[in-house]
Amino acid sequence: MRISVIGCGYLGAVHAASMASIGHEVVGIDVDAEKIGRLGRGEPPFHEPGFEAILGEQLASGRLRFATDFAEAADAEVHFIAVGTPQSADGRAADLAYVDAAFAALIAVIRPGSLVAGKSTVPVGTAARLAPLVEAAGATLLWNPEFLREGFAVKDTLEPDRLVYGVSPGDALERRPEVAVLDHVYAPIIERGTPRIVADWATAELVKVSANAFLATKISFINAMAEIAEATGADVTTLADAIGMDARIGRRFLNAGVGFGGGCLPKDIRAFTARAEELGVGASVAFLKEVDAINLRRRDRVVDLVLEELGERRYDGRVAVLGLAFKPHSDDVRDSPALDVAVRLHGLGVGVVATDPAAIETARTRHPQLSYATDAAAAILGADVVVLVTEWPEYSDLDPIATRSLAGTDPVIIDGRNVLDPASWRSAGWAYRGMGRP
Ligand code: UDX
């Protein structure tokens, strides 16, 4: 089929290349000419494992191209909207300016009979608000939320846990013609037995935000237990292992540490509370404000631990911050706990040297005032305190003995992700501090 993807960030660029890889003819559209230029040359504008290979292959196949002009999308039978919905500058709500602009520009070129499939994460009610615009152009609107994780974006797009289609409310949702069209787009994925749920617009929109709210709650739950563990001498990692063995709870997303960040979880829970308040049901998700507060307190905790361990060395000590990305295998520093810790320590007058395998350039653009080292060894050289805040394998696998010879006298390791073995670090001569573990 002929497909357009509007918005070529993590979501859209990966979706465009993935749709080309299953045989469709795809044009990716974005207003950012530099990004489109890079994508068209096969250069990923962000770090995402496996993306460069699929991008190169699909450009070479001739099925994938990129453009800045919406007119290039005119021929497509299905249009995916994949633009960002960041937190608004003046509050908790999502900023829908990119969504509204994408719809306006697309509607001007769209053909009657085509399908518009929204993938962006939007406040519930957005599809119902935009549908009249789409219908006036003779097209149909469906909401098809995306659940991809950064670092696994290609795999999650081509091998999703489930597909969710949101159609206009009413009867016989499964039998809508637009459902058959999207089934055709995703045919190889559906044929593999991937579950597919057809719902109304509001349910589909809510599936996405409630999934992220649940994941954020799970992380903040275990981080709250870490706070209790800190007050009692208990070990939150053992606690997580034990409660996680109950299949009803599950061990995944129970890793206590410096907390969640990124372009999705933090802004999605904030937008959810703002939207619920608009709808008069703010009390229903008011607990998400506590989820947010617990999460942000873990950043304070890491900063406090560093200051405590530096003690009198506060202004002449040296602190190595390992990690800047919000999670490993990504160069994304949006709302990154790791970058936040580095910036706050620097702001407190602490001598910080930060490093990351992929995110130095994205961090430097936002925070040129920080000192950056090219790798862990260079950052740790002469450090009094080493803080691990993004669990890249190269940091989790650091050898405590070899690392000890690089650091200063009486060094301290602060394991902000609970990924190191306390005993082996202590026996190599480090003072070890974890997050909610002795
Ligand atoms: C998330 C959702 O997982 C995905 O389904 C949705 O489409 C987009 O938002 P992503 O932002 O890529 O994906 O990251 P995710 O893997 O969910 O991690 C989010 C944050 O939580 C990271 O900062 C991570 O370090 C943190 N995290 C995760 C924890 O602190 N503890 C955990 O146990 C798991």
Side-chain angles (χ1 to χ4, degrees):
M1 292 183 89
R2 291 187 307 279
I3 289 176
S4 86
V5 180
I6 313 300
C8 291
Y10 283 96
L11 167 57
V14 173
H15 194 69
S18 300
M19 292 302 102
S21 80
I22 56 174
H24 301 298
E25 206 177 296
V26 184
V27 59
I29 309 269
D30 200 292
V31 293
D32 182 339
E34 199 213 321
K35 191 188 286 177
I36 288 299
R38 292 183 65 170
L39 285 165
R41 291 192 299 274
E43 298 164 13
F46 46 79
H47 177 91
E48 182 59 47
F51 178 58
E52 186 165 8
I54 190 173
L55 175 67
E57 275 161 31
Q58 298 312 316
L59 287 167
S61 77
R63 284 192 299 272
L64 177 64
R65 63 199 170 85
F66 292 93
T68 51
D69 185 354
F70 276 75
E72 300 279 335
D75 276 344
E77 298 148 276
V78 179
H79 305 274
F80 287 102
I81 307 287
V83 294
T85 52
Q87 186 174 344
S88 59
D90 57 354
R92 279 176 287 128
D95 178 355
L96 294 178
Y98 301 116
V99 170
D100 290 343
F103 270 86
L106 184 63
I107 294 310
V109 300
I110 205 165
R111 297 272 157 89
S114 59
L115 175 64
V116 179
K119 294 200 82 65
S120 307
T121 302
V122 290
V124 58
T126 302
R129 176 173 67 79
L130 294 167
L133 198 71
V134 176
E135 283 156 15
T140 306
L141 179 62
L142 182 152
W143 217 269
N144 172 221
E146 180 58 56
F147 304 96
L148 67 80
R149 295 161 299 166
E150 289 182 22
F152 301 91
V154 176
K155 182 175 184 298
D156 285 351
T157 303
L158 290 170
E159 298 166 39
D161 296 333
R162 75 295 207 191
L163 294 164
V164 175
Y165 301 178
V167 300
S168 60
D171 298 326
L173 304 181
E174 289 260 355
R175 293 203 296 277
R176 300 291 172 78
E178 61 269 33
V179 169
V181 173
L182 208 54
D183 278 352
H184 189 60
V185 172
Y186 291 137
I189 298 172
I190 289 173
E191 279 158 19
R192 261 204 318 274
T194 307
R196 187 263 269 141
I197 290 181
V198 182
D200 52 71
W201 288 323
T203 306
E205 290 164 329
L206 277 172
V207 166
K208 175 62 197 257
V209 286
S210 60
N212 277 355
F214 192 88
L215 294 171
T217 304
K218 207 171 172 190
I219 299 168
S220 277
F221 176 84
I222 202 66
N223 280 328
M225 295 308 107
E227 292 183 336
I228 306 288
E230 278 153 12
T232 54
D235 184 339
V236 75
T237 57
T238 309
L239 182 148
D241 291 342
I243 65 172
M245 283 172 192
D246 183 332
R248 293 170 303 175
I249 296 173
R251 180 64 179 80
R252 294 174 71 188
F253 270 67
L254 278 186
N255 295 321
V258 68
F260 59 79
C264 294
L265 262 44
K267 66 101 177 158
D268 285 352
I269 59 170
R270 292 170 195 151
F272 199 5
T273 59
R275 181 64 181 139
E277 283 163 18
E278 279 172 15
L279 293 165
V281 285
S284 305
V285 288
F287 71 93
L288 291 175
K289 292 185 182 171
E290 199 56 44
V291 165
D292 199 5
I294 293 167
N295 190 53
L296 296 177
R297 280 207 300 273
R298 300 318 281 164
R299 303 179 185 190
D300 300 342
R301 169 73 181 167
V302 173
V303 170
D304 289 347
L305 275 177
V306 173
L307 297 181
E308 186 185 315
E309 291 298 340
L310 278 175
E312 291 179 355
R313 295 176 291 185
R314 174 156 172 180
Y315 297 109
D316 51 14
R318 183 179 156 111
V319 175
V321 174
L322 305 184
L324 292 160
F326 83 104
K327 66 190 266 189
H329 311 291
S330 171
D331 63 354
D332 195 344
V333 296
R334 285 177 294 172
D335 213 335
S336 167
L339 180 57
D340 201 14
V341 163
V343 168
R344 281 164 60 182
L345 287 170
H346 176 83
L348 289 165
V350 173
V352 172
V353 180
T355 187
D356 189 283
I360 291 178
E361 290 318 315
T362 49
R364 201 198 303 272
T365 311
R366 289 171 190 238
H367 293 287
Q369 77 278 20
L370 285 182
S371 298
Y372 297 96
T374 48
D375 59 22
I380 294 169
L381 198 64
D384 301 293
V385 178
V386 177
V387 197
L388 189 164
V389 264
T390 311
E391 70 279 31
W392 284 93
E394 42 271 76
Y395 304 154
S396 311
D397 296 344
L398 277 173
D399 174 7
I401 299 170
T403 312
R404 174 72 187 80
S405 62
L406 296 170
T409 42
D410 299 330
V412 182
I413 176 85
I414 296 175
D415 182 4
R417 293 288 183 179
N418 288 347
V419 287
L420 304 175
D421 174 37
S424 48
W425 282 76
R426 286 189 178 122
S427 65
W430 291 83
Y432 174 93
R433 303 291 302 266
M435 301 293 286
R437 69 198 300 210

